[in-house]
Amino acid sequence: MAGKNNALQKPVTLTPELEDVCGKGPMTRAQVTSKVWDHIKANSLQDSKDKRMINPDAKLGKVIGKDQISMFKMTGAVSKHMK
């Protein structure tokens, strides 16, 4: 199913704000998602009462906004920082 045209495997360019969270690009969308989650877990940014909600720190806030966001909406916010 995952062929050569799989969008998750195509390298993308990251904005400086997203590179601050994920590291230097380009990288695939799958790698970006993984690195964003690594950052969330390493900094305990998941809400303690509702694990589906993310409480961004200063770095992640530059990418997804400073307000709490659901992990489902976070993907859309992060994708705005990929070209």
Side-chain angles (χ1 to χ4, degrees):
M1 186 170 170
K4 289 184 179 178
N5 293 329
N6 185 343
L8 288 175
Q9 298 306 323
K10 182 181 173 195
V12 293
T13 305
L14 313 180
T15 63
E17 294 82 11
L18 187 54
E19 282 185 337
D20 202 24
V21 174
C22 298
K24 208 73 170 137
M27 57 182 71
T28 66
R29 289 178 181 273
Q31 288 172 314
V32 170
T33 301
S34 178
K35 291 187 182 285
V36 168
W37 274 103
D38 288 346
H39 179 82
I40 290 168
K41 290 178 182 177
N43 294 286
S44 303
L45 301 180
Q46 280 181 283
D47 189 84
S48 59
K49 294 183 176 127
D50 185 352
K51 296 286 188 190
R52 295 172 298 178
M53 299 305 287
I54 308 300
N55 299 312
D57 60 3
K59 275 187 182 181
L60 191 57
K62 291 177 184 173
V63 176
I64 65 173
K66 301 199 182 324
D67 297 328
Q68 187 181 60
I69 190 171
S70 103
M71 63 186 196
F72 306 109
K73 290 183 179 178
M74 180 185 69
T75 308
V78 169
S79 70
K80 292 175 184 170
H81 287 266
M82 295 184 254
K83 299 174 192 169

